[in-house]
């Protein structure tokens, strides 16, 4: 069990913490860096999520403030007991002209893991939200296959009160068999979704550049004004990072948190 | 003229199969023939190159992609009061994973609404395709299971036709693929009725990528 809350406010050009709470296995660190952006690093001291665990993360970037969030290590969805499900619920709020970068490291799905995860974002139209969610299918180094898993990974973004984007990745049962299929993952061992919700001219300005950075197994689209979305698949998490880092560096408009440096 | 229209309507409400056949036939002007749902890219990339790879690709889209999602949306629209349609339609749009996916569901839906309103006098706002069809079917007392199965079959049939135009796949082979997928259309249609909007989503990641890649495909016959 764990809960964490981070809130920021702008103090002139500087972003400062306005609230911070954490309990259970979740902690938040704030490495020193660019004072205009506050970087918070979540640490799950339990090392992962197992069936029955429940993590709750909340963050709010106040008007004109800029908050970057990442995780200290890859999250692990451990093997779960039958009928038990690990839950991670994240709620992010972006006020007027705020910026929030949600840049967690990979989530590794172990064989027989059961994870239900939700990311709910509520943002002002003038705000800027960048997201990446990398997933790794099994512990490749151990040659692990996802013979059984139950993943439900949902993202919902509300902008100015109306639903802008929804996605829910679902894998059930013999995921490896499914992931081998050509319309699904073509045998990929890792995948990421990348999303930028930003004022229309800015989102559009990245389209060509991000397209040029896509591998054969990745695509990007300006789904509607102010909404850029990419899916990238790769044989493993290392290759995935090689594709992701230039994309995220471009969209982040600044150096990535140190947790993203290879 | 007016009398004729009303008489035809009365006859049709007694024959749900015929109304559905009309709505979901390639002749009904929703423009389905111009959308390949990313298949044109998958064929160019040689992910789909023959009857068996086509069948696999379509099977995944039916079970883990737009087929299943559209069936869920259709079932909810069939049951929804008019006041809930806007929210459901917003959800359908939000789940579009690329610009072309949004285009195909928006354009076909709008064309379906226009045509159906012009013929039967339905009051249909501009809705995405599965939401429009589900709602119209309910208004015309057409059974949900049949509507959903017809919808999925028409979707698969349209993609089979697209494949016949793009790969060296004969008409007969294409129809054999469609025949093999028919039981799946029924199965997905039945299952979707038991699901909620929290079940929307899926796993057709590379099909999503194909639709994104199609946006810049050099030569293309299809709009998506």
């Amino acid at each position: 069990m764990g809960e964490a809350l981070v809130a920021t406010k702008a103090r002139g050009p500087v972003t400062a913490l306005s609230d911070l709470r954490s309990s259970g296995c979740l902690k938040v660190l704030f490495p020193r860096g660019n004072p205009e952006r506050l970087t918070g690093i979540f640490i799950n001291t339990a090392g992962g999520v197992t069936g029955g665990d429940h993590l709750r993360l909340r963050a709010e970037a106040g008007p004109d403030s800029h908050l970057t969030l990442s995780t200290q290590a890859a999250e692990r969805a451990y093997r779960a007991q039958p009928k038990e499900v690990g839950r991670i619920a994240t709620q992010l709020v972006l006020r007027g002209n705020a910026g929030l970068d949600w840049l967690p490291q990979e989530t590794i799905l172990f064989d027989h893991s059961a994870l239900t995860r939700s990311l709910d974002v509520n943002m002002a139209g003038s705000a800027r939200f960048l997201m990446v969610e990398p997933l790794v299918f099994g512990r490749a180094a151990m040659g692990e296959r996802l013979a059984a898993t139950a993943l439900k990974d949902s993202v919902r973004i509300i902008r100015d009160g109306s639903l802008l984007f929804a996605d829910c990745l679902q894998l059930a049962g013999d995921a490896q068999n499914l992931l081998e299929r050509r319309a699904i993952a073509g045998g990929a061992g890792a995948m990421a979704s990348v999303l930028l919700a930003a004022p229309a001219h800015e989102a559009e300005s990245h389209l060509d550049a991000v397209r040029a950075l896509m591998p054969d197994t990745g695509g990007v689209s300006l789904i509607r004004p102010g909404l850029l979305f990419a899916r990238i698949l790769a044989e493993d998490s290392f290759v995935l990072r090689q594709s992701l880092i230039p994309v995220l560096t471009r969209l982040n408009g600044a150096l990535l948190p140190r947790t993203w440096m290879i | 003229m007016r009398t004729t229209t009303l008489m035809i309507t009365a006859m049709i409400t007694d024959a749900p199969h015929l109304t559905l056949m009309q709505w979901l036939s390639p002749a009904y002007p929703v423009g389905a023939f111009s959308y390949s749902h990313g298949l044109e890219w998958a064929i160019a990339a040689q992910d789909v190159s023959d009857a068996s790879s086509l069948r696999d690709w379509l099977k995944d889209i039916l079970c883990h992609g737009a087929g299943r999602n559209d069936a869920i949306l259709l079932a909810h629209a069939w049951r929804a009061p008019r006041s809930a349609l806007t929210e459901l339609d917003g959800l359908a749009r939000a789940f579009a994973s690329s610009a072309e996916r949004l285009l195909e569901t928006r354009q076909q839906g709008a064309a379906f609404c226009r045509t159906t309103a012009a013929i039967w006098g339905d009051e249909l706002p501009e809705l995405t395709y599965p939401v429009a069809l589900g709602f119209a079917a309910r208004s015309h007392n057409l059974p949900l299971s049949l509507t959903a199965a017809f919808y999925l079959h028409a979707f698969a049939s349209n993609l089979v036709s697209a494949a016949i135009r793009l790969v060296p796949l004969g008409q007969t082979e294409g129809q054999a693929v469609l025949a093999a997928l028919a039981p799946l259309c029924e199965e997905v249609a039945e299952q979707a009725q038991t699901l909620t909007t929290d079940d929307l989503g899926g796993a057709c990641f590379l099909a999503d990528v194909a639709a994104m890649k199609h946006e810049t495909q050099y030569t293309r016959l299809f709009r998506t």
Side-chain angles (χ1 to χ4, degrees):
Chain A
M1 303 298 139
E3 273 196 58
L5 166 75
V6 179
T8 55
K9 62 181 175 190
R11 200 183 283 148
V14 172
T15 292
L17 263 185
S18 58
D19 200 357
L20 171 65
R21 281 175 254 171
S22 68
S23 64
C25 64
L26 280 180
K27 304 223 175 326
V28 197
L29 284 183
F30 297 92
R32 289 178 58 157
N34 180 352
E36 290 174 12
R37 294 177 173 214
L38 187 73
T39 299
I41 307 292
F42 288 106
I43 300 172
N44 177 1
T45 57
V49 182
T50 183
D53 280 354
H54 195 165
L55 302 185
R56 210 163 152 234
L57 290 80
R58 282 181 298 156
E60 176 168 337
D64 302 306
S65 70
H66 196 124
L67 175 62
T68 299
L69 295 168
S70 186
T71 52
Q72 195 192 36
E75 187 67 88
R76 291 165 174 79
Y78 293 129
R79 185 184 188 95
Q81 294 304 313
K83 293 185 184 170
E84 284 192 340
V85 179
R87 290 178 196 278
I88 304 176
T90 303
Q91 287 175 296
L92 305 175
V93 175
L94 291 79
R95 304 289 180 195
N97 292 310
L100 199 157
D101 312 308
W102 175 249
L103 306 171
Q105 297 195 62
E106 296 82 357
T107 295
I108 304 171
L109 301 176
F110 284 35
D111 191 21
H112 286 86
S113 57
L115 177 66
T116 294
R117 187 163 73 163
S118 60
L119 175 65
D120 289 295
V121 182
N122 203 325
M123 64 187 290
S126 56
R128 185 187 195 279
F129 175 62
L130 173 63
M131 172 203 101
V132 66
E133 277 293 1
L135 273 177
V136 180
F137 308 122
R139 290 168 293 175
M142 299 176 56
E144 183 179 60
R145 289 173 48 91
L146 284 184
T149 193
L151 172 73
K152 210 162 174 180
D153 192 12
S154 132
V155 177
R156 300 250 169 144
I157 298 177
I158 292 171
R159 183 160 72 184
D160 274 345
S162 59
L163 185 65
L164 174 72
F165 177 84
D167 188 30
C168 186
L169 312 180
Q170 299 183 35
L171 291 173
D174 184 349
Q176 196 57 47
N177 191 24
L178 210 58
L179 291 167
E180 293 296 334
R181 301 177 64 88
R182 288 203 181 173
I184 311 274
M191 179 180 84
S193 304
V194 178
L195 181 145
L196 175 70
H201 63 277
E202 206 227 309
E204 193 178 350
S205 72
H206 295 296
L207 179 62
D208 290 343
V210 174
R211 227 178 227 149
L213 292 169
M214 286 294 124
D216 287 348
T217 51
V220 62
S221 180
L222 187 71
I223 303 181
R224 41 174 135 183
L227 176 64
L228 194 72
F229 180 64
R231 277 208 207 284
I232 305 173
L233 293 96
E235 59 185 276
D236 59 32
S237 61
F238 180 77
V239 177
L240 182 64
R241 276 195 174 215
Q242 288 179 317
S243 293
L244 280 178
I245 287 173
V247 172
L248 295 177
T249 303
R250 158 109 202 177
L251 296 178
N252 195 39
L255 279 181
L256 294 174
R258 214 172 288 168
T259 52
W260 270 91
M261 302 303 168
I262 294 184
Chain B
M1 196 60 200
R2 181 99 189 127
T3 331
T4 320
T5 311
L6 288 174
M7 199 180 70
I8 288 169
T9 308
M11 283 165 60
I12 282 173
T13 46
D14 290 336
H17 289 75
L18 297 185
T19 307
L20 283 173
M21 268 182 73
Q22 182 175 359
W23 284 359
L24 291 161
S25 98
Y28 206 64
V30 300
F33 63 88
S34 55
Y35 306 101
S36 91
H37 199 72
L39 184 60
E40 186 167 30
W41 174 268
I43 287 168
Q46 297 195 309
D47 281 327
V48 173
S49 56
D50 55 17
S52 89
S53 52
L54 175 66
R55 191 193 54 225
D56 285 352
W57 184 270
L58 296 182
K59 183 181 164 201
D60 290 341
I61 286 176
L62 285 171
C63 297
H64 304 285
R68 175 177 175 275
N69 279 337
D70 282 359
I72 296 173
L73 291 164
L74 189 156
H76 278 77
W78 194 90
R79 297 190 195 107
R82 178 173 279 275
S83 58
L85 278 187
T86 309
E87 195 185 334
L88 188 62
D89 195 59
L91 198 57
R93 286 164 199 254
F95 265 98
S97 58
S98 68
E100 292 192 350
R101 289 289 170 80
L102 188 57
L103 177 85
E104 63 190 19
T105 192
R106 228 165 28 88
Q107 299 280 33
Q108 292 181 89
F112 175 83
C113 290
R114 275 196 306 275
T115 308
T116 309
I119 299 170
W120 284 275
D122 294 52
E123 275 181 41
L124 287 168
E126 242 185 48
L127 298 165
T128 52
Y129 195 22
V131 175
L133 188 75
F135 186 71
R138 180 74 187 87
S139 326
H140 287 250
N141 291 316
L142 308 178
L144 174 54
S145 297
L146 202 63
T147 307
F150 265 66
Y151 176 87
L152 293 175
H153 190 270
F155 176 65
S157 174
N158 183 56
L159 295 183
V160 165
S161 298
I164 291 171
R165 287 162 72 186
L166 292 167
V167 282
L169 187 73
Q171 295 280 354
T172 309
E173 274 181 300
Q175 291 303 316
V177 168
L178 185 59
L181 292 172
L184 204 57
C185 294
E186 275 200 294
E187 202 178 298
V188 174
E190 284 305 317
Q191 191 207 14
Q193 294 175 43
T194 65
L195 300 175
T196 73
T197 49
D198 284 341
D199 296 305
L200 289 167
C204 282
F205 315 130
L206 281 175
D208 289 347
V209 169
M212 291 166 167
K213 296 273 196 200
H214 186 267
E215 292 178 17
T216 51
Q217 190 165 340
Y218 187 62
T219 39
R220 43 188 237 170
L221 297 176
F222 295 87
R223 296 181 73 191
T224 70

